[in-house]
Amino acid sequence: MHLLLVEDDERLGRVLKRLLEEDRHVVDLATDGETGLDLAAGDGIDVVILDVGLPDISGIEVAQRLRRRGTAMAILMLTARDTVGDRVAGLDAGADDYLVKPFAFEELAARLRALSRRAEPGTRRPEPRLVAGPIALDETTRRVTVKGTPVDLSPREFSLLECFLRHPGQTLSRDQLLDQAWPYSVAVTPNAVDAYVHYLRTKLGAAGDRVETVRGVGYRLSDA
Ligand code: CA
């Protein structure tokens, strides 16, 4: 889909844009409301992901102005506080859905899939299945199997494996893996990556040997 992300938090905006692009979306990024409105006037935007707290005009007002223009694009609000008042204001302003920060990227991805299905009744985007040797990961059902046998992974382990499967054979630094599996946490150290890679390898059994240590750099999923 063609997405417009309106988010003034620079790091969050950058991380979300990259993850969404990895999810095969086209993403325009605006860091204030007026720029968001300008970009939304362009053609072909399917969904606006709209932060409520913006430096100039609020996301609520952006949504109202978009609806006043008569735009049909879906609006997904990102709110900082989970208060009924905020949610109601967002929905009243014309938002189709909302997410409360902090949220897991997987949840945002799922909401976007739901919005895209609503936008085009009866159509469903073909969902990618990521495979490396005996390991298979289905991004729709979030199921992981090794030689067809289901493996139960925690959300972090799942995100790490997803990152490895998207970059087979490529050495990924601990920082890259941190950005992927802990996108909104600032207090996580690279040691956490080592710990979770260890858990992941253990759960994958013999197939876990495919996750190779690249000394002094990070990890790599063997695609051989
Ligand atoms: Ca904000």
Side-chain angles (χ1 to χ4, degrees):
M1 289 194 288
H2 188 173
L3 308 177
L4 170 61
L5 173 61
V6 188
E7 169 60 71
D8 61 312
D9 179 321
E10 229 182 85
R11 177 164 188 261
L12 179 58
R14 206 175 54 232
V15 169
L16 282 180
K17 182 177 193 305
R18 205 198 59 233
L19 292 174
L20 289 165
E21 284 171 346
E22 284 179 7
D23 233 348
R24 280 164 285 272
H25 296 293
V26 175
V27 184
D28 295 341
L29 177 61
T31 52
D32 62 70
E34 291 289 355
T35 309
L37 282 167
D38 285 345
L39 291 177
D43 263 347
I45 294 195
D46 301 297
V47 182
V48 185
I49 303 168
L50 187 55
D51 187 26
V52 169
L54 294 169
D56 50 354
I57 52 175
S58 78
I60 304 279
E61 191 180 337
V62 173
Q64 284 167 342
R65 281 165 63 176
L66 284 173
R67 289 307 183 219
R68 248 181 268 143
R69 283 180 191 168
T71 50
M73 59 188 73
I75 300 175
L76 174 64
M77 289 277 206
L78 305 179
T79 73
R81 294 161 299 165
D82 186 15
T83 65
V84 175
D86 276 8
R87 278 179 278 157
V88 170
L91 295 170
D92 277 351
D96 300 284
D97 199 0
Y98 66 87
L99 263 180
V100 178
K101 291 180 177 178
F103 51 85
F105 178 72
E106 294 86 336
E107 187 172 10
L108 173 61
R111 300 291 180 94
L112 289 173
R113 285 196 292 273
L115 285 175
S116 80
R117 283 197 293 273
R118 232 180 285 167
E120 301 165 69
T123 64
R124 202 179 256 256
R125 183 164 81 87
E127 293 296 339
R129 224 169 87 90
L130 301 170
V131 178
I135 307 167
L137 179 152
D138 186 314
E139 293 186 306
T140 315
T141 60
R142 300 187 62 75
R143 261 168 58 99
V144 173
T145 56
V146 174
K147 286 187 186 161
T149 305
V151 178
D152 189 24
L153 297 182
S154 72
R156 298 274 189 235
E157 294 156 358
F158 183 93
S159 296
L160 277 179
L161 180 60
E162 196 175 24
C163 189
F164 282 126
L165 287 168
R166 283 191 180 154
H167 306 94
Q170 193 181 321
T171 299
L172 300 169
S173 70
R174 287 180 177 77
D175 281 340
Q176 283 174 307
L177 292 165
L178 266 184
D179 268 2
Q180 171 77 26
W182 286 265
Y184 316 113
S185 308
V186 285
V188 182
T189 69
N191 290 338
V193 174
D194 297 334
Y196 276 89
V197 167
H198 173 74
Y199 301 148
L200 178 63
R201 278 176 172 152
T202 306
K203 287 193 179 173
L204 293 175
D209 292 348
R210 286 177 167 261
V211 182
E212 300 169 341
T213 303
V214 182
R215 206 170 284 268
V217 185
Y219 298 94
R220 174 177 58 210
L221 181 71
S222 161
D223 55 356

